[in-house]
Amino acid sequence: MTSVGGAGMVDWNLAVATATRLVRPGPEISREEAREVVAELRRHAKAAEEHVRSFTRMIPEGTEPEDTPVLVVDRAGWIKANVAGFRELLRPLLDKMQDRRGGGAGGAVLGAVGSKVTGVEVGMLLSFLASRVLGQYETFAPATRELPASAQGGGRLLLVAPNIVHVERELEVDPHDFRLWVALHEETHRTQFTAVPWLRDHLQSEIQSFLDETDVDPMTVLERLREAAQSLAGGRPEGEEGEDGGRSLVEIVQTPAQREILGRLTAVMSLLEGHADYVMDGVGPEVVSSVGEIREKFQQRRARGASRLDQALRKLLGLDAKLRQYKDGERFVSAVVDEVGMDGFNRVWTSPNTLPTKAEIARPEDWIARVHRKAES
C-alpha cells in the first residue's frame, strides 16, 4: 500500500496497524451472541431496505438500482475500509505534498519525520473514531475481496456491530429495536447513493476540487495531525488552543475557492444526514415500537457529549459540524415535505443544480421558491 499514491507521506499499512492496536476493546460478548447480532443486523438491513424505499419513494416501482453489499464489521474492519477510502480520496493532495517535500522547511521536516510517524498519527485518529461510528455507507474505496462492491463499482453499507451493541447497552434500550432503528438510518444513505446515480461522482468531484485548491505547507498538516495525536495521548494540556483557535483539520486549509466548495459540500452533507434522520423517525413508529424512547435517549447522549478531551477532538476533526448537519438537514427536509410533499421534496435528487445551497438549508422556503415556484411559472 505504501508504494502507491503519496507513498512518502503516509504509511497506510502502519496507520491500519496502529489504529487496530490502539482502538478500544468492544463490549464483552460471547461468540454465540456475536453471531446472533451479526445475523440480526443483516436481517434488519434487508427489512430496512423495503421500509426506506416505500417511505422515500426515491426508487420508481418496477426499477431496480445497483445492488451494493451490506457488510457487518468489527472496529478493525471499519478502520481498514476507511483507510482504503481515505487513501483513494487523498491521493491527489498527498502527491502534491510529496512533490513539495524536497523544498522548504515543511518538506525538510516531513523528510526527517517520515511516513511512518505520519502513519502512526493517522492511525491514532482512526482509533478514536472507530469506536464511535455505528454505521456508514462507504463509497470511495476500490472493490477488493475483503471490501466488495457492486458490479458497477459502487459502495457498500457498513454496520459496526460492537459499537451498536455498546450504545444499546449504554442507553438501556431494547436491542432489537435499536438495531433496526440504526439500520433504517444507514439504509437511507445506501438508498440515496443507489437511487441517485450521479451523487457519488458529484461528491467525489467536489472533494477533488477542494483538494486541488489546497496550497498548504506540509508542515502545517503534520503539525495538526501531531496536535490531535498528542491530545489522544494526553500530551496536550486540557483546554489548550493554539493560534488557530481550535479550528478543524478541514478549516486550516481553506482558500477562498475552497470555502465556496466547502459550503456546497456542507449543504449536501446536511441534506444527506438530515434526510436519513427524517426517514429513520418517519418509518420508526410503524416498525420500531420503542422508537420514542430510543430517540429521546439518543438525543440526550448526543447533547451530553463526553469529556473535554473528547470535545476538543470532535472540534479538531470537524465532528461538531457533523452533529449540526443532522439538525439543520432534518429541519430542511421536514419543512420541504410539509410544504410540497415527499414527491415534491424528491426533486432535490434531479441534478446537482437542484441540491440546496448552504443558505437554503437554513431557509427551505428559498429552495422551494427556486426549484418549485420557478418551474411552475
Side-chain angles (χ1 to χ4, degrees), residues 82-291:
N82 277 268
V83 164
F86 292 156
R87 180 169 173 258
E88 191 71 16
L89 277 177
L90 294 176
R91 188 188 303 270
L93 175 61
L94 294 181
D95 285 343
K96 179 188 289 189
M97 292 173 66
Q98 177 74 12
D99 290 341
R100 293 183 57 178
R101 185 174 179 174
V109 170
L110 274 175
V113 173
S115 64
K116 292 192 180 301
V117 171
T118 311
V120 168
E121 292 171 340
V122 170
M124 291 179 74
L125 296 180
L126 285 170
S127 72
F128 169 78
L129 294 171
S131 62
R132 286 157 172 78
V133 177
L134 300 181
Q136 173 187 357
Y137 187 75
E138 203 298 311
T139 185
F140 298 116
T144 64
R145 184 176 60 83
E146 291 185 347
L147 199 63
S150 71
Q152 290 76 31
R156 69 285 293 166
L157 177 61
L158 307 176
L159 295 173
V160 190
N163 296 350
I164 293 172
V165 172
H166 171 78
V167 175
E168 71 191 25
R169 290 179 177 179
E170 178 187 337
L171 298 181
E172 297 181 335
V173 293
D174 182 281
H176 309 293
D177 282 0
F178 184 75
R179 293 165 195 173
L180 177 54
W181 189 71
V182 171
L184 289 169
H185 180 101
E186 303 307 333
E187 176 58 37
T188 303
H189 287 316
R190 184 170 177 243
T191 299
Q192 290 163 349
F193 281 91
T194 55
V196 186
W198 53 264
L199 183 58
R200 177 186 181 275
D201 290 341
H202 173 71
L203 271 179
Q204 186 167 23
S205 175
E206 291 280 57
I207 293 169
Q208 293 303 335
S209 295
F210 182 91
L211 295 177
D212 288 344
E213 290 289 334
T214 299
D215 185 19
V216 63
D217 184 352
M219 174 61 180
T220 305
V221 174
L222 178 62
E223 184 60 33
R224 186 55 56 142
L225 287 171
R226 180 176 293 116
E227 178 182 318
Q230 287 176 345
S231 295
L232 281 170
R236 180 190 174 111
E238 193 172 283
E240 177 185 315
E241 289 189 347
E243 63 181 10
D244 290 312
R247 289 187 293 164
S248 72
L249 282 166
V250 171
E251 291 172 319
I252 67 167
V253 293
Q254 284 189 51
T255 65
Q258 284 179 310
R259 281 192 289 273
E260 184 177 336
I261 297 168
L262 191 62
R264 295 196 298 268
L265 280 170
T266 298
V268 175
M269 297 312 297
S270 296
L271 171 69
L272 298 181
E273 296 293 357
H275 182 235
D277 264 13
Y278 180 85
V279 172
M280 178 172 63
D281 288 344
V283 174
E286 296 183 7
V287 298
V288 182
S289 59
S290 60
V291 65

